[in-house]
Amino acid sequence: MKQRFLVALTVASAALAVASCGPAKGGFGHELSAAKAGEWARHGFDLSETRFSPLEQLTPDTVSGLKLAWFHDLDTNRGQEATPIMVGGKLYTTSAWSKVQAFDAATGKLLWTHDPKVPGESGVKGCCDVVNRGVAVEGGKVFLGTFDGQLQALDAETGKLLWSVVTVDQTQAYTITGAPRLVKGKVIIGNGGAEFGVRGYVSAYDMDSGKLAWRYYTVPGKAGQADGAASDAILAKLAEPTWKGKPDTVGGGGTVWDSMAYDPELDLLYIGVGNGSPWSQAIRSPGGGDNLFLASIIAVRPETGEYVWHYQQTPGDQWDYTATQHMILADLTIEGKVRKVLMQAPKNGFFYVLDRTDGSLISAQPYVKQTWTTGVDMATGRPRIVPEAYYNKTGKPWLSEPGFLGGHSWHPMAFSPETGLVYIPVNEIATPYIPDPAFQWKQQSNNLGLDLGKATMPADRSIVNAVRAGLKGRIVAWDPVRQKAAWTVELGGPWNGGMLVTAGGLLFQGTAAGDFIAYDAASGRRLWSYPAQSGIVAPPITYSLGGKQYVSVVVGWGGVYPLLLGEMARKSNDRPNRSRVLTFSLGGKAVLPEQEALAQSPVAPPPPFGSPDQIARGAALYARTCGGCHGDGVRSGGVLPELRRSALAGDAQSWASVVFDGALKDQGMVGFNKDLTRADVEAVRAYVVARANEDPAR
């Protein structure tokens, strides 16, 4: 208890100190006043991204009275990943395809909506569904990053578009799915696309005008060519020597697609950097090297983008072990000394505690089973990687835990200064890495450098069921001081929602299976639940209005896990997708409509056709071009159409009109005529029909 008290005391003391000296715009003073007003004004509640609310009307003793206060049905049933923002009595959130909704936060009355009209054909540029993780709100403006790479400012009262800038080269496979962050009058935004070959960066724009203030590239560009960016000097000094033989045509990756945090006292903006592109280092950096700043945390000055320090978690990343996962800032008492720390549980399976003043490593312990290292060398800060994990060097397949979906993905953690615990939504999803010696660049398909066709699950149900059995999910309550789990809660499968913790002693999370649950934050004891009728991956928030505490969450199943793993992901969620905003309070009186079954009768597949060679070629093409959305082995995860039921597969002309010509491009199904020939498209059809016959949709 003494340790917990010290943790709470140091966090509170730091917040008060910063409040007295922080900048007026975007400083901690704003955070504390918002908290006092019962608002949820920032993506992570505060600039430290703790997702800890000081509200305490809801407690372990009162949470049983939590009822649905209001709900709103969304108009798209793709993945929903947004964190709502509540300021001034209004709740602002987003849905798939980067749409924005503004509600009366007490009643749920829809005040306005904004549709940026993202072209459906841009869906092919995303690895992980057409999701959006929310807006940022300040100074009467709502800031939005759109899937097709725009940054927009809206009037918070009316939703009117005030300004819009294109932040990426839209001819390339860039996307934006992350929420903007606001720091010192600037809107900070990154981008995604490393699975397709782009070069990552983060940008800062003026909140009032939308004018670019600075840009920081995370990996080197063309040899000897500067970008005129804040990163030029440090890339030349530190990064370029760590890339050995990088071809100018290779983007390199390093996209900043999600996590950031800001310390106003130190005036440091912390940025999480993503994976390499391609994943295979043999292609992007044939001579090896650490490949800075992949899989790193970088600290920069928010006004200029000036580099201050970095820490690389996975040198020479070859496993998609991004450092883009949620970061939390806190002051912890460690070995009798108060340390200003940054905490992160990235994909690679280690929980890192860094000194956020200089990036030095304090601790790194595994929070989930991992096989790719024997631990982290505390003297160097580098992981001790086992030789077998270097699949490009061995030329042999490597089955790794964590896999590329990570021990922890984008789903936010939460930190309670009262318990001293960080609450992590953990996954166990082992995945194979199989090198592709015949790799060739594609324009519309992923560019990983892996042979995905050889990793496809066979039709044999016993093998499928065995793999499904190994997919696990849990909550891990991690003690960052003692460097171990305090308690865990096992869940039915992986890919569960983000976390919220409160001063009332409650921990909230939605599950992939469709339950919204409250736990005792100290013990993990389950206290309350609500059947949400659909899988939840987004994190909840809480706010107060009129003396009443509300809890709100965006519901809707999706993201890369069900799209890519397909039917195996149904272990986590096997119900229809119904996307909604659900908001709860004590004494709420709203009732969801009765859940109607969406039964699908078995469909007799078309007769199989094609030679074994044609079907095998179709299998390889499907794995690289189609499987990322329609599921491994033509088994849908319930988000996009089940191709084994598709009437199109029985008619060559209709199939080609969609898959090659793009007849459904406005609905997100682009024609793949840049990567595939008509003969390729017919080979894919032969494979789909073959799978429908040997492994029919149930």
Side-chain angles (χ1 to χ4, degrees):
M1 290 300 294
K2 182 178 180 182
Q3 174 196 341
R4 303 301 185 217
F5 175 76
L6 287 172
V7 169
L9 181 63
T10 54
V11 170
S13 299
L16 290 172
V18 172
S20 66
C21 64
K25 179 176 278 190
F28 236 40
H30 171 75
E31 312 305 316
L32 293 176
S33 63
K36 185 177 180 180
E39 297 184 336
W40 189 285
R42 297 284 176 174
H43 184 71
F45 179 75
D46 51 26
L47 290 169
S48 296
E49 303 269 332
T50 61
R51 293 186 178 259
F52 170 79
S53 168
L55 299 180
E56 48 189 5
Q57 184 181 80
L58 295 172
T59 69
D61 293 329
T62 63
V63 72
S64 60
L66 200 59
K67 306 291 183 183
L68 186 66
W70 60 264
F71 69 92
H72 176 84
D73 289 329
L74 298 169
D75 67 354
T76 170
N77 281 330
R78 297 291 288 269
Q80 310 298 339
E81 299 186 357
T83 293
I85 299 291
M86 199 294 281
V87 292
K90 297 180 177 62
L91 187 79
Y92 302 92
T93 191
T94 62
S95 56
W97 294 106
S98 314
K99 299 178 181 180
V100 184
Q101 303 85 32
F103 302 96
D104 181 300
T107 66
K109 178 184 177 181
L110 183 65
L111 302 176
W112 55 260
T113 63
H114 170 72
D115 183 356
K117 301 189 184 305
V118 172
E121 60 195 283
S122 68
V124 72
K125 296 181 178 181
C127 68
C128 311
D129 209 347
V130 289
V131 298
N132 187 279
R133 297 190 189 92
V135 297
V137 182
E138 189 174 303
K141 298 183 181 68
V142 176
F143 300 95
L144 166 73
T146 71
F147 190 79
D148 60 342
Q150 300 177 70
L151 179 64
Q152 298 186 336
L154 313 175
D155 185 287
E157 287 295 320
T158 66
K160 177 184 176 181
L161 181 65
L162 300 176
W163 55 256
S164 181
V165 295
V166 176
T167 72
V168 302
D169 179 349
Q170 292 181 314
T171 67
Q172 298 187 49
Y174 281 105
T175 58
I176 294 177
T177 57
R181 303 306 204 274
L182 306 178
V183 178
K184 301 181 77 170
K186 293 179 175 56
V187 191
I188 315 296
I189 193 72
N191 46 60
E195 279 64 42
F196 299 90
V198 304
R199 180 188 180 202
Y201 56 87
V202 63
S203 305
Y205 292 84
D206 181 83
M207 285 174 51
D208 294 326
S209 66
K211 181 180 179 181
L212 179 66
W214 54 261
R215 177 163 291 168
Y216 188 106
Y217 287 90
T218 59
V219 300
K222 295 182 178 180
Q225 182 173 313
D227 302 296
S231 49
D232 282 354
I234 204 67
L235 286 178
K237 179 180 178 180
L238 292 185
E240 288 180 10
T242 70
W243 290 74
K244 310 294 185 181
K246 175 182 178 291
D248 286 345
T249 55
V250 174
T255 49
V256 181
W257 54 265
D258 196 15
S259 183
M260 302 178 213
Y262 174 61
D263 182 331
E265 184 179 24
L266 298 174
D267 194 29
L268 290 178
L269 172 67
Y270 305 97
I271 298 165
V273 182
N275 54 281
S277 180
W279 292 0
S280 171
Q281 190 187 44
I283 300 169
R284 70 169 191 266
S285 182
D290 286 352
N291 296 174
L292 289 176
F293 293 100
L294 297 180
S296 300
I297 295 171
I298 305 175
V300 302
R301 298 295 179 196
E303 290 183 293
T304 62
E306 175 193 358
Y307 166 92
V308 178
W309 61 255
H310 79 276
Y311 176 80
Q312 187 174 43
Q313 297 164 347
T314 309
D317 172 52
Q318 301 181 49
W319 307 274
D320 189 21
Y321 285 163
T322 62
T324 50
Q325 284 56 57
H326 182 198
M327 294 181 285
I328 295 174
L329 311 183
D331 291 356
L332 302 181
T333 301
I334 300 174
E335 296 181 349
K337 182 180 179 181
V338 176
R339 303 291 297 271
K340 295 180 179 297
V341 307
L342 181 153
M343 301 180 287
Q344 189 185 47
K347 281 187 179 182
N348 72 12
F350 289 100
F351 189 96
Y352 291 89
V353 180
L354 305 180
D355 185 315
R356 69 176 183 271
T357 67
D358 60 10
S360 58
L361 178 63
I362 295 174
S363 65
Q365 291 294 326
Y367 64 87
V368 68
K369 180 182 178 182
Q370 58 99 336
T371 61
W372 69 288
T373 79
T374 59
V376 172
D377 185 328
M378 292 301 298
T380 64
R382 300 173 68 91
R384 297 188 294 266
I385 303 173
V386 301
E388 296 82 4
Y390 290 108
Y391 57 88
N392 281 312
K393 293 181 180 179
T394 67
K396 298 178 181 179
W398 164 249
L399 181 67
S400 188
E401 293 190 51
F404 58 79
L405 293 178
H408 169 226
S409 190
W410 67 269
H411 316 79
M413 312 183 297
F415 168 68
S416 170
E418 297 191 345
T419 65
L421 300 176
V422 178
Y423 304 93
I424 316 169
V426 170
N427 306 309
E428 281 193 24
I429 311 171
T431 52
Y433 297 83
I434 303 174
D436 181 5
F439 171 80
Q440 292 183 328
W441 284 94
K442 301 285 188 181
Q443 296 183 64
Q444 297 172 296
S445 306
N446 64 61
N447 289 296
L448 308 183
L450 302 182
D451 190 335
L452 300 178
K454 291 181 180 177
T456 298
M457 290 298 297
D460 188 325
R461 302 303 299 185
S462 64
I463 297 176
V464 173
N465 292 337
V467 173
R468 280 172 55 118
L471 302 176
K472 299 177 182 179
R474 66 179 63 91
I475 300 170
V476 172
W478 186 264
D479 187 323
V481 176
R482 294 188 173 94
Q483 304 175 39
K484 64 180 183 179
W487 51 260
T488 63
V489 172
E490 296 295 328
L491 301 171
W495 219 249
N496 299 286
M499 317 299 289
L500 159 68
V501 66
T502 74
L506 297 175
L507 177 70
F508 289 92
Q509 183 194 37
T511 70
D515 295 312
F516 189 49
I517 304 173
Y519 300 91
D520 185 304
S523 67
R525 180 168 59 96
R526 182 166 169 160
L527 302 171
W528 170 91
S529 67
Y530 182 88
Q533 298 186 352
S534 189
I536 304 172
V537 292
I541 70 162
T542 187
Y543 56 90
S544 179
L545 279 173
K548 182 179 290 187
Q549 184 177 351
Y550 296 82
V551 180
S552 190
V553 65
V554 183
V555 173
W557 181 238
V560 65
Y561 172 68
L563 288 181
L564 181 59
L565 267 69
E567 187 187 52
M568 288 186 290
R570 292 180 182 269
K571 176 180 181 180
S572 299
N573 179 299
D574 196 17
R575 61 182 62 193
N577 193 6
R578 294 174 172 87
S579 294
R580 292 182 171 122
V581 181
L582 300 182
T583 300
F584 302 86
S585 69
L586 294 176
K589 299 185 183 304
V591 178
L592 288 180
E594 202 163 315
Q595 189 172 7
E596 298 180 6
L598 298 178
Q600 292 181 304
S601 302
V603 176
F609 70 94
S611 67
D613 287 345
Q614 184 184 30
I615 293 171
R617 175 165 174 74
L621 293 169
Y622 175 93
R624 184 167 175 188
T625 305
C626 316
C629 288
H630 291 283
D632 176 80
V634 202
R635 296 184 177 103
S636 171
V639 178
L640 290 181
E642 172 64 75
L643 292 186
R644 291 176 297 171
R645 297 180 184 274
S646 173
L648 291 174
D651 181 77
Q653 184 174 348
S654 298
W655 178 268
S657 72
V658 171
V659 181
F660 187 83
D661 297 325
L664 299 179
K665 68 178 182 179
D666 290 340
Q667 300 176 40
M669 177 60 199
V670 70
F672 285 88
N673 46 50
K674 294 180 180 178
D675 282 355
L676 305 179
T677 66
R678 290 189 180 274
D680 291 337
V681 167
E682 184 67 357
V684 172
R685 186 173 79 92
Y687 169 64
V688 168
V689 170
R691 287 305 296 250
N693 278 272
E694 68 179 351
D695 184 25
R698 287 164 170 77

